[in-house]
Amino acid sequence: MDAREAALRQAYDHAVRWLASLPDRRIPARATVDEIVGALGAELPAGPGTPADVVDLLATACEPGLTAFPSGRFYGFVVGGTEPAALAADWLVSAWDQNCVMRTVSPAYTAAEEIAGGWVLGLPGESSVGFTTGATMAN
């Protein structure tokens, strides 16, 4: 197993444990910002760690500071939620790591964007649409 695969497996294991804990875990975070900073370590490490160790540190140190938003029992305010297919698709697009700046650079991205434009916005096929990651990118 190479370093990338080991890190992905670590992330998967942590994500599955987090999601499985949601029905029973308390909703508010158990740790403060200062506690998370202490657990992560505010000082720049002397050298690199393995990718799996970095993922493990991130998940282990941050988990106590997470609010159980996706538990179905969080009623603080409307923040949305991630459906299983959307979560898995997010992992895929992160792994694919496409630069979607032009049609010819990533035809798959452009095709998905065109279909979504038709579904969500009801645009005719000859229309052009572009979804951005936020207001700054849109400008």
Side-chain angles (χ1 to χ4, degrees), residues 5-132:
E5 185 178 347
L8 289 169
R9 287 182 189 274
Q10 278 294 91
Y12 172 81
D13 289 344
H14 282 291
V16 168
R17 276 194 297 277
W18 161 256
L19 293 170
S21 78
L22 292 172
D24 301 315
R25 72 180 292 117
R26 67 179 276 201
I27 301 301
R30 299 183 318 264
T32 66
V33 171
D34 290 338
E35 290 169 332
I36 304 300
V37 167
L40 285 170
E43 299 298 319
L44 181 65
T50 69
D53 287 344
V54 171
V55 169
D56 193 49
L57 172 63
L58 181 65
T60 303
C62 290
E63 187 274 333
L66 298 175
T67 299
F69 290 127
S71 72
R73 296 176 293 117
F74 176 78
Y75 300 110
F77 40 85
V78 177
V79 293
T82 303
E83 293 294 326
L87 176 59
D90 182 61
W91 289 10
L92 267 179
V93 298
S94 292
W96 290 339
D97 195 20
Q98 297 292 288
N99 184 337
C100 304
V101 66
M102 295 178 288
R103 293 178 65 86
T104 57
V105 174
S106 184
Y109 177 84
T110 303
E113 193 171 68
E114 286 179 5
I115 291 168
W119 286 354
V120 176
L121 304 173
L123 296 174
E126 63 275 4
S127 298
S128 180
V129 65
F131 294 100
T132 65

